[in-house]
Amino acid sequence: MLNWSDAVSVGVGVLDEDHKLILVVAEALQRALIQRERSLAQAGGEVLVEACKAHFRREEELLSAAAFPSVDEHRLGHIVCLETIDQMRQDVERGLWLPAQARLGEVIDLVKHRLLVEDGEYGRWLKQHHLVPIYRDLAFAGWETETV
């Protein structure tokens, strides 16, 4: 599992908090799958989906508003991640614990790659274009009241 550090921060508080939450939920879900705790795995899968959907929406809105050039490619990565989580949730429903663990491993690898490479790319882009101070504490409509 990837531990959070400032090295993977994108410089936008709400997105960094989302990233931290996704890592914590994935780690708890991983424990539930290893222990074959169906109800915890189902609940964890639901929380992970909702956390990712909320985060992806915020991230895509910010990147679109900032005119980030690779926003469409970034969005495709979100779709792949959500599809993999959905497949993992189906495995849990069927009691297929090892495939569910493998799919969560894929999700974790996707999250690591996104944090270390792709999100780092847009974080650097925002910094290079002097947009981090503008977006660092920005809350788009509904962000501040949305809960996961």
Side-chain angles (χ1 to χ4, degrees), residues 73-92:
E73 292 87 357
H74 203 81
R75 187 176 290 119
L76 290 175
H78 292 166
I79 292 167
V80 169
C81 188
L82 288 172
E83 287 173 349
T84 306
I85 294 170
D86 186 55
Q87 292 167 349
M88 182 223 42
R89 292 176 71 203
Q90 291 174 31
D91 290 339
V92 169

Side-chain angles (χ1 to χ4, degrees), residues 33 36 38 42 88-100:
L33 290 174
R36 298 182 180 200
R38 183 183 298 262
Q42 290 169 327
M88 182 223 42
R89 292 176 71 203
Q90 291 174 31
D91 290 339
V92 169
E93 289 297 320
R94 294 183 194 121
L96 302 173
W97 296 103
L98 292 178

Side-chain angles (χ1 to χ4, degrees), residues 16-47:
D16 286 340
E17 291 304 314
D18 286 348
H19 290 148
K20 291 175 192 176
L21 174 64
I22 290 167
L23 291 172
V24 167
V25 171
E27 187 174 346
L29 180 55
Q30 189 174 44
R31 283 192 304 273
L33 290 174
I34 290 169
Q35 297 169 358
R36 298 182 180 200
E37 295 282 345
R38 183 183 298 262
S39 62
L40 289 176
Q42 290 169 327
E46 180 66 27
V47 172

